Amino acid sequence: MSTNESTLAENIGRAVLAAIQDFSAATATATATTTGQLGSHQLQYTWASHSHHLHWDVIPLGILSYSCTPNGCSPRLNILHLQNGLYRTIGRMMSTIIIQGGEPPAFLSPSVVDYIVSGDILQVHVTPDDIGDPDLRENLKKVLSLLRENPSLRVLLDIPGEDKGLAADFVAGILKPSYSVLGSNRRAREALMVVKFREFLQCVENKELRETYGDRTLTKDEEAFLNTLSPGHILAFATESSKVPAIGFHPTPKLIFIHDEDRHLPNAHTCANELHLFVNATTMADDDEFNYCFLVALMNGSLFSTI
């Protein structure tokens, strides 16, 4: 090869492999860890230039981190190969083959070629057959088929509109009270706790909770937390989710009443979607104490109740 041909080959190689490298990074998905079988696909060309004496007789595509799909081969994201220039070397080989009139290295999938030609990932037409992992490919086909047969399921994928948060009444309706036997003394006390709980939710929604504390002195952290508190935080505290899942909650969220005079702070069992309220003289005495106990509990559980 002449010096001019070698230089031209290197320049084309830079352009082609820059696109392949960008494509690999832009399509970094599950294929980054896929180890699909590539069979015996190989490049069997020798490349050399006036300034580099690298001879490649047989290069298995698997070593080069290519993923074979029904549509052709796609480069997987391989940081080591990007760093050591292996992808660029492949591009130089490909450009040399083209310039010298050899058999075109037509093994890339159309989606990769689209990106090399356009340079715009949004112009690339990708189908499930461009996925190398056979299990992932078949599962995606099933999901797409299900979505096309049931267009209403698009709500699971659409970007939601403005999130106005959950209303207090809505959250109160989700958490179903688990009462004691009707007519018992415990049942009457539990009914009063439900009233207190729903009033607490309304105060949170209306940003009136601070007023219920009267002359009680709150810390700076408590004051700051009050400003961000919403009914969704209470749902998240009980279920670890600030929104209702698309298929609903399982099991059904419940309000559980614990009759214990020594415990006051509400707690949650998120695996069971249960919010536990303690029924005793302290929590039933006045709204101030109940509301403050709830505030402290929510702050202690802020990891779960962060929206």
Side-chain angles (χ1 to χ4, degrees), residues 21-190:
Q21 288 177 9
D22 288 345
F23 180 85
S24 297
T27 58
T29 59
T31 57
T33 56
T34 300
T35 57
Q37 296 299 316
L38 298 173
S40 59
H41 297 283
Q42 296 177 337
L43 287 175
Q44 300 186 33
Y45 298 96
T46 300
W47 175 84
S49 74
H50 68 288
S51 57
H52 301 280
H53 300 285
L54 301 177
H55 299 275
W56 300 78
D57 296 318
V58 178
I59 305 176
L61 291 181
I63 296 176
L64 301 178
S65 285
Y66 274 81
S67 175
C68 261
T69 75
N71 286 346
C73 292
S74 299
R76 298 176 186 157
L77 178 64
N78 187 308
I79 299 301
L80 180 61
H81 291 173
L82 287 173
Q83 292 175 341
N84 64 22
L86 188 54
Y87 286 128
R88 188 172 298 280
T89 298
I90 302 169
R92 288 174 176 172
M93 294 173 62
M94 292 169 61
S95 61
T96 300
I97 294 167
I98 294 172
I99 290 174
Q100 292 188 339
E103 181 180 349
F107 63 90
L108 297 174
S109 69
S111 60
V112 178
V113 176
D114 285 345
Y115 184 74
I116 292 174
V117 173
S118 69
D120 183 359
I121 194 66
L122 298 179
Q123 299 298 317
V124 176
H125 178 66
V126 181
T127 72
D129 285 333
D130 288 301
I131 297 176
D133 186 320
D135 292 332
L136 180 60
R137 181 170 62 246
E138 293 307 312
N139 286 335
L140 180 58
K141 286 182 177 180
K142 292 177 182 178
V143 171
L144 290 175
S145 176
L146 180 64
L147 289 172
R148 288 164 183 162
E149 292 172 2
N150 302 273
S152 61
L153 292 179
R154 67 173 296 153
V155 69
L156 303 177
L157 302 175
D158 279 337
I159 298 176
E162 182 182 357
D163 186 2
K164 298 180 180 179
L166 299 180
D169 289 341
F170 184 77
V171 174
I174 292 175
L175 293 162
K176 306 295 184 182
S178 182
Y179 290 115
S180 297
V181 178
L182 183 63
S184 65
N185 291 333
R186 286 192 169 189
R187 175 62 177 263
R189 291 159 64 91
E190 291 165 359

Side-chain angles (χ1 to χ4, degrees), residues 1-8 50:
M1 183 191 299
S2 68
T3 300
N4 289 338
E5 287 179 328
S6 177
T7 301
L8 181 58
H50 68 288

